[in-house]
């Protein structure tokens, strides 16, 4: 009986460690979902899986980009029309003139010619893009979305890129 009791006492700390490890994994998973501001089930990114025709091939560095950022690149690619009227608020105004430019470079005619690495590591760029995609899914106009984005990020004291307002009716 003494052997059984000693063995049982040795198993308790192992069980506690396993339970704590499981609890930690669960907390990290929940925290990651909250940090993104969206649950994976409600993410607009699940609707797009490839880049539109005519986009350049992804560069080598893109392979190492984490999945949520890749999803934002896809959203940006599919919402170019809207994002060119939405400012970014991450402080990149010296380099970019709208949120779309955080993801892709365009030539003088507006054709996308290359990926921009900036958004691959910028949560604000990604959050703005997600806000726009969610607004479009909700049926809002680009003008309404722009007003909401401006209000949200200016309230945080952030400065926008020099992005013109969308034309009437967009």
């Amino acid at each position: 009986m003494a052997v059984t009791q000693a063995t049982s006492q040795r198993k308790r700390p192992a069980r506690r460690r396993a339970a704590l490890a499981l609890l930690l994994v669960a907390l990290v998973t929940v925290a990651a979902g909250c940090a993104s501001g969206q649950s994976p089930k409600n993410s607009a990114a699940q609707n797009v899986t490839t880049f539109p025709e005519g986009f350049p091939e992804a560069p080598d560095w893109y392979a190492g980009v984490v999945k949520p950022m890749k999803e934002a690149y896809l959203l940006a690619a599919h919402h170019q029309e809207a994002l060119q009227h939405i400012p970014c608020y991450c402080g990149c105004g010296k380099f970019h003139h709208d949120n779309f430019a955080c993801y892709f470079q365009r030539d003088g005619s507006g054709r996308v010619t290359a990926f921009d690495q900036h958004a691959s590591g910028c949560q604000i760029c990604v959050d703005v893009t997600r806000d726009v995609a969610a607004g479009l899914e909700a049926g809002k106009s680009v003008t309404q979305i722009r007003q909401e984005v401006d209000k949200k990020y200016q309230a945080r004291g952030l400065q926008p890129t020099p992005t013109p307002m969308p034309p009437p009716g967009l």
Side-chain angles (χ1 to χ4, degrees):
M1 179 103 57
V3 172
T4 305
Q5 187 176 16
T7 303
S8 176
Q9 287 176 352
R10 278 184 270 163
K11 288 183 181 179
R12 281 188 202 150
R15 286 184 187 152
R16 283 188 193 137
R17 281 192 297 264
L20 286 173
L22 185 60
L23 179 62
L24 181 61
V25 168
L27 288 173
V28 168
T29 302
V30 168
C34 291
S36 73
Q38 298 181 7
S39 70
K41 290 180 184 176
N42 295 330
S43 173
Q46 68 187 353
N47 297 329
V48 292
T49 58
T50 60
F51 289 101
E53 189 173 320
F55 267 68
E57 188 173 321
D60 291 342
W61 59 260
Y62 187 76
V65 174
V66 296
K67 185 178 178 182
M69 300 302 197
K70 283 183 177 179
E71 290 171 347
Y73 272 84
L74 287 165
L75 283 173
H78 285 273
H79 297 301
Q80 176 178 355
E81 175 76 22
L83 291 177
Q84 67 185 356
H85 300 291
I86 306 295
C88 187
Y89 280 87
C90 75
C92 67
K94 291 182 181 179
F95 310 103
H96 300 128
H97 57 289
D98 56 46
N99 186 250
F100 183 79
C102 296
Y103 297 91
F104 302 101
Q105 299 169 10
R106 296 175 280 214
D107 64 14
S109 71
R111 187 176 66 90
V112 176
T113 57
F115 281 61
D116 192 301
Q117 197 167 359
H118 175 75
S120 69
C122 184
Q123 191 62 48
I124 292 175
C125 295
V126 170
D127 290 344
V128 169
T129 303
R130 287 179 177 159
D131 290 344
V132 171
L136 291 170
E137 280 191 13
K140 296 179 182 177
S141 72
V142 175
T143 301
Q144 288 174 306
I145 296 166
R146 166 71 184 262
Q147 292 167 345
E148 291 173 1
V149 166
D150 286 343
K151 183 178 179 181
K152 177 179 178 177
Y153 292 93
Q154 286 175 2
R156 297 180 185 178
L158 302 173
Q159 295 299 311
T161 54
T163 309
M165 290 298 288
L170 187 61

